[in-house]
Amino acid sequence: MAEQEIAVKDLSEADARVELERLATLLAEANTAYHTEDAPEMPDAEYDRLKRRNAEIEARFPALKRADSPSEQVGAPVADGFAKVRHEVRMMSLSNAFEDDDITSFDQSIRRYLGLSDRDPLAYTAEPKIDGLSLSLRYENGKLVQAATRGDGATGENVTANARTIDDIPETLSGAPEVLEVRGEVYMSHADFADLNERQAAKGAKTFANPRNAAAGSLRQLDANITKDRPLRFFAYSWGALSAPLADTQIGAIQRLQELGFQTNPLTERCDGPADMIAHYKSIEEQRATLGYDIDGVVYKVDDLGYQSRLGFRSTTPRWAIAHKFPAELAWTRLEAIDIQVGRTGALSPVARLTPVTVGGVVVSNATLHNEDYIAGRDANGAPIRGGKDIRVGDWVQVYRAGDVIPKVADVDLDKRPDGAQPYEFPKLCPECGSEAIREEGDAVRRCSGGLICPAQAVEKLKHFVSRAAFDIEGLGAKQVEQFYNDGWIKEPADIFTLKDRYGSGLQQLKNREGWGEKSAQNLFDAIDEKRTIPLGRLIFSLGIRHVGEVVANLLARSYGTWDAFQSAIDAAHDPEGEAWVGLIGIDGIGTVVANSLVHSFAQEAERASIDRLVAHLTVQEAERPRTEGSPVAGKTVVFTGTLERMTRAEAKARAESLGAKVSGSVSAKTDLLVAGPGAGSKETKARDLGVEIIDEDGWFKLIEGA
Ligand code: IVH
């Protein structure tokens, strides 16, 4: 099967869509086999490979990411790369309740199990259910010796180095039992999540859909240095193996964990019975929007630990606890209008303007309507979406918030459709500039073909140009360029560099503009001057060419070295038979989609002229080319596998490539060297079989020392 697969970089958008669907199906089947039927059909390595392939395709075509994307699924087998840890005491999940009545039944069934009458006292604890990921911390003689994720409950991933970077996790405990496994939830606060996403976006790096994903993605980093920079927190709420009991009651044990130095949730309370529990649930629900972190329900636990041990466990859940989930954050409201926003690359995005409505404590008045097909209720092939219901202005629509992302429209109520509501006609012309808006085959997105004559594209391009990972000019952010654009002072990037000549003196001075003074104007001119010298990679990224993100831009820079070499290569790559084209798509990490996009942009007269005007004002710094002289790995094919401790995968790859090596993801007869860290597995076996030279990470550093 693997032999027939097309390399990710060579996939067309249409192929990618089909492939993502295939992977979603395969992985879902494998998941079911693994989790519910307890009979894995797919070897772990193959599972991991398919999952990685899925993630790579999603990274290349973010717009194609499916609603049921395998990358969003939890409870997957442990990923390759972390060592596995077998939990001494299984990590359980919780059964769910949705209605108040379920809580009364829960209390009843426990009483029956324990043989208690309705009059016997039976207390519970009630605490928020934190929306993060669970972690088990093992302390031996008061020292943190291991941290593991839940994984499938029996076996998790060893993330000790990562856990040590979290402030809420103590390195040592005093007065703890000899063996103590503390369990709890790793999570990220709303404020830290927003901050992280902003930093990620500025770097052109992946942003996260919600705090839970951000927390999971941050904890499960192969390089603990990355985790260190991520603001993770931890609430302790449970325990695994213990050499001595913590207390007689759940509330007492939580108190003890707090005394040992753990954060425990301040909304944890002891309740006397269902009425009390439901009252506390309501109170937590009311505070939900202002807690500053995501919770998705309330967990009740039998307080008496003697009762807990009598009650015990079902196959995956304790009998003595239950999660009372909050209803999904959904609300119905009226769709007042549909607006079309035009992005940097010309994509027309439909935005629902709604009668303001509160969804989970937040007032929502805009939501995304995804794309043209979503509104029509059918995809490009006419297959129905949401039962084939179209959405019309005036309709009652259901909106929801998934984590902290932009709200989405989820459904429409046809019974409430006003008479005379007309099907929505998606514009075929760009609403900003009137150019034709075109939909290419296999693309759900319609795009304005106006290029730079489109004011929306021009402004978005300017915002991108000044963003942090691009020119990053102090004092010239998105707001300022937009104002300058509207006033006609800056129409394109080149204009930034002539601003001083045009508005630095004379009648129309910058310092006389509202919001600017002598000093701030001077600071801006200085900041602009500072960026007249720019690294090649940054320049390429800042042009805002579709599919050319930071990583691709740097690859191009390293391959071509200078602006002149780069631009002449792209011009020459116009000929698909020519050497330049082959050279371009021959760069590791550059596929035909990127290549076509570059060639296309450079061939557009207006866009090209604008780029030339810009470059005329700049001194472009040469990029460091891969050094091959004196390099022990020049021209060799190297594979990295297992856990690397002294560098990230990305670093390892970059370093090897800068030394002229080719880095491959799989071992074959062409492999010259395998660098294997702990947990290497099948690649190491294969390399050994093929007689490939194998070294460890330290060996690698020794090899490239001084190169
Ligand atoms: S107790 C044996 N308490 O919810 C009992 N779990 O859906 C183990 N969770 O895997 C869980 N907040 O990751 C417990 N206050 C809380 C929790 C909590 C969040 C998570 C935990 C668990 C999942 C089950």
Side-chain angles (χ1 to χ4, degrees):
M1 180 175 48
E3 284 71 37
Q4 288 158 18
E5 281 175 2
I6 306 174
V8 173
K9 69 179 170 60
D10 296 327
L11 287 172
S12 71
E13 206 155 342
D15 290 339
R17 187 188 300 276
V18 175
E19 181 65 345
L20 286 175
E21 186 183 354
R22 183 182 78 95
L23 292 171
T25 313
L26 274 175
L27 288 165
E29 284 168 1
N31 260 336
T32 315
Y34 188 95
H35 290 287
T36 41
E37 292 153 28
D38 223 10
E41 292 175 341
M42 190 185 278
D44 283 2
E46 172 69 355
Y47 182 95
D48 290 338
R49 190 186 70 79
L50 292 181
K51 217 159 167 175
R52 264 200 310 273
R53 178 170 168 82
N54 183 75
E56 281 164 19
I57 300 174
E58 286 176 350
R60 255 197 78 199
F61 301 102
L64 296 186
K65 185 162 174 177
R66 299 169 58 88
D68 62 348
S69 161
S71 20
E72 303 299 327
Q73 320 276 300
V74 288
V78 290
D80 155 69
F82 286 105
K84 296 186 181 185
V85 172
R86 183 126 203 122
H87 297 297
E88 190 176 325
V89 176
R90 259 181 80 92
M91 287 183 83
M92 293 286 169
S93 59
L94 293 168
S95 51
N96 291 326
F98 296 93
E99 312 287 339
D100 293 356
D101 280 355
D102 298 340
I103 307 313
T104 329
S105 321
F106 170 66
D107 176 62
Q108 287 298 319
S109 69
I110 287 178
R111 285 176 183 278
R112 262 199 313 275
Y113 198 98
L114 296 172
L116 300 176
S117 80
D118 282 352
R119 284 174 307 278
D120 289 318
L122 178 56
Y124 296 89
T125 57
E127 69 199 68
K129 183 168 192 296
I130 317 296
D131 199 4
L133 68 153
S134 44
L135 186 68
S136 184
L137 305 169
R138 187 176 172 96
Y139 290 84
E140 289 175 7
N141 300 314
K143 287 204 173 51
L144 177 64
V145 293
Q146 186 175 297
T149 62
R150 185 173 89 171
D152 62 4
T155 309
E157 291 166 343
N158 186 337
V159 290
T160 314
N162 308 45
R164 288 193 204 280
T165 69
I166 301 176
D167 289 344
D168 286 347
I169 296 180
E171 188 62 42
T172 55
L173 305 176
S174 74
E178 208 175 301
V179 173
L180 167 63
E181 283 182 4
V182 176
R183 291 179 176 176
E185 204 83 351
V186 174
Y187 68 102
M188 197 179 279
S189 75
H190 291 157
D192 287 338
F193 165 70
D195 221 53
L196 171 63
N197 260 359
E198 205 175 291
R199 278 192 281 144
Q200 291 286 101
K203 281 197 287 194
K206 168 181 147 107
T207 56
F208 297 96
N210 55 49
R212 206 206 79 85
N213 287 2
S218 301
L219 183 69
R220 297 177 67 265
Q221 284 288 337
L222 290 171
D223 178 2
N225 284 316
I226 300 181
T227 309
K228 195 172 171 54
D229 280 340
R230 303 279 176 86
L232 293 173
R233 299 170 190 232
F234 180 77
F235 275 130
Y237 53 62
S238 176
W239 55 91
L242 278 179
S243 57
L246 291 171
D248 299 334
T249 58
Q250 176 76 29
I251 201 91
I254 298 302
Q255 172 80 35
R256 179 86 195 280
L257 290 176
Q258 196 186 359
E259 286 160 9
L260 286 170
F262 291 95
Q263 300 297 319
T264 58
N265 195 287
L267 298 178
T268 309
E269 252 182 35
R270 187 171 178 279
C271 299
D272 280 331
D276 218 10
M277 289 148 83
I278 291 164
H280 193 47
Y281 170 91
K282 299 250 146 72
S283 145
I284 292 177
E285 192 177 23
E286 271 163 26
Q287 300 175 64
R288 183 178 185 187
T290 52
L291 286 179
Y293 51 86
D294 279 349
I295 62 173
D296 57 355
V298 173
V299 183
Y300 308 121
K301 298 170 186 170
V302 169
D303 191 39
D304 185 307
L305 297 185
Y307 284 162
Q308 279 195 12
S309 74
R310 279 177 59 196
L311 286 156
F313 298 87
R314 303 180 201 93
S315 62
T316 58
T317 57
R319 273 192 201 89
W320 44 264
I322 199 164
H324 190 176
K325 302 291 280 278
F326 293 133
E329 299 184 65
L330 290 165
W332 287 93
T333 186
R334 234 173 115 83
L335 175 60
E336 292 179 352
I338 298 175
D339 282 353
I340 300 290
Q341 282 178 355
V342 183
R344 168 167 62 86
T345 59
L348 269 51
S349 311
V351 179
R353 303 291 178 211
L354 307 162
T355 308
V357 63
T358 307
V359 187
V362 175
V363 177
V364 168
S365 47
N366 302 311
T368 173
L369 277 161
H370 312 273
N371 54 47
E372 185 171 355
D373 294 343
Y374 188 83
I375 301 175
R378 307 199 160 270
D379 70 14
N381 304 316
I385 304 172
R386 292 184 324 278
K389 298 187 269 185
D390 69 331
I391 295 174
R392 305 183 183 185
V393 171
D395 272 341
W396 278 87
V397 292
Q398 192 182 44
V399 287
Y400 72 102
R401 290 196 315 131
D404 239 10
V405 284
I406 312 162
K408 295 179 175 130
V409 170
D411 204 358
V412 53
D413 186 347
L414 294 186
D415 292 340
K416 290 205 179 146
R417 174 162 288 172
D419 290 340
Q422 294 300 311
Y424 179 72
E425 184 81 41
F426 202 92
K428 306 289 180 292
L429 299 179
C430 171
E432 299 284 343
C433 71
S435 303
E436 212 184 327
I438 299 164
R439 218 176 131 171
E440 278 171 20
E441 209 186 313
D443 194 351
V445 177
R446 191 172 284 281
R447 288 173 205 277
C448 161
S449 61
L452 287 180
I453 68 147
C454 175
Q457 284 190 55
V459 169
E460 293 306 318
K461 274 202 171 227
L462 277 169
K463 288 186 190 166
H464 171 81
F465 185 83
V466 298
S467 68
R468 243 193 280 176
F471 267 68
D472 189 22
I473 297 168
E474 195 160 342
L476 192 63
K479 208 173 82 200
Q480 289 84 2
V481 272
E482 186 159 6
Q483 277 167 6
F484 282 126
Y485 182 86
N486 290 337
D487 297 347
W489 285 27
I490 295 177
K491 287 280 176 205
E492 60 171 28
D495 296 342
I496 294 171
F497 297 94
T498 57
L499 194 66
K500 187 168 156 192
D501 295 344
R502 291 179 293 131
Y503 296 103
S505 60
L507 271 179
Q508 273 195 309
Q509 286 178 326
L510 173 61
K511 68 176 191 187
N512 297 333
R513 265 178 77 119
E514 205 182 309
W516 294 88
E518 175 111 38
K519 180 138 178 61
S520 56
Q522 190 52 50
N523 286 347
L524 177 64
F525 292 141
D526 290 348
I528 292 172
D529 283 343
E530 229 175 80
K531 297 294 160 84
R532 285 180 199 268
T533 301
I534 196 91
L536 178 59
R538 259 185 196 259
L539 171 61
I540 297 175
F541 171 68
S542 70
L543 300 178
I545 295 168
R546 210 174 141 207
H547 303 298
V548 182
E550 226 182 329
V551 174
V552 166
N554 284 321
L555 282 176
L556 291 164
R558 272 201 304 278
S559 299
Y560 294 106
T562 65
W563 172 259
D564 285 342
F566 169 68
Q567 66 158 15
S568 40
I570 303 300
D571 288 340
H574 209 68
D575 171 11
E577 305 287 308
E579 224 172 81
W581 172 261
V582 176
L584 178 58
I585 59 166
I587 300 171
D588 209 13
I590 307 279
T592 50
V593 173
V594 172
N596 275 324
S597 176
L598 279 165
V599 169
H600 177 78
S601 289
F602 272 57
Q604 301 244 295
E605 228 168 282
E607 191 161 338
R608 181 55 189 273
S610 162
I611 295 174
D612 289 344
R613 280 192 293 273
L614 166 68
V615 176
H617 295 291
L618 304 174
T619 306
V620 185
Q621 289 168 318
E622 232 178 88
E624 208 179 298
R625 306 289 303 274
R627 264 192 317 132
T628 49
E629 250 171 77
S631 158
V633 291
K636 297 208 169 151
T637 299
V638 182
V639 175
F640 292 92
T641 188
T643 310
L644 301 178
E645 273 147 13
R646 298 170 61 183
M647 57 190 167
T648 62
R649 277 297 158 94
E651 257 177 88
K653 184 166 187 302
R655 188 74 212 277
E657 282 173 355
S658 79
L659 292 168
K662 187 170 169 340
V663 177
S664 165
S666 58
V667 174
S668 73
K670 287 194 205 132
T671 309
D672 297 298
L673 180 65
L674 179 78
V675 182
S682 63
K683 283 180 197 162
E684 191 170 357
T685 321
K686 185 159 179 196
R688 193 161 296 126
D689 291 346
L690 291 167
V692 171
E693 182 183 350
I694 302 173
I695 57 174
D696 64 7
E697 196 179 3
D698 290 336
W700 165 255
F701 277 100
K702 208 169 279 157
L703 176 67
I704 62 168
E705 204 170 48

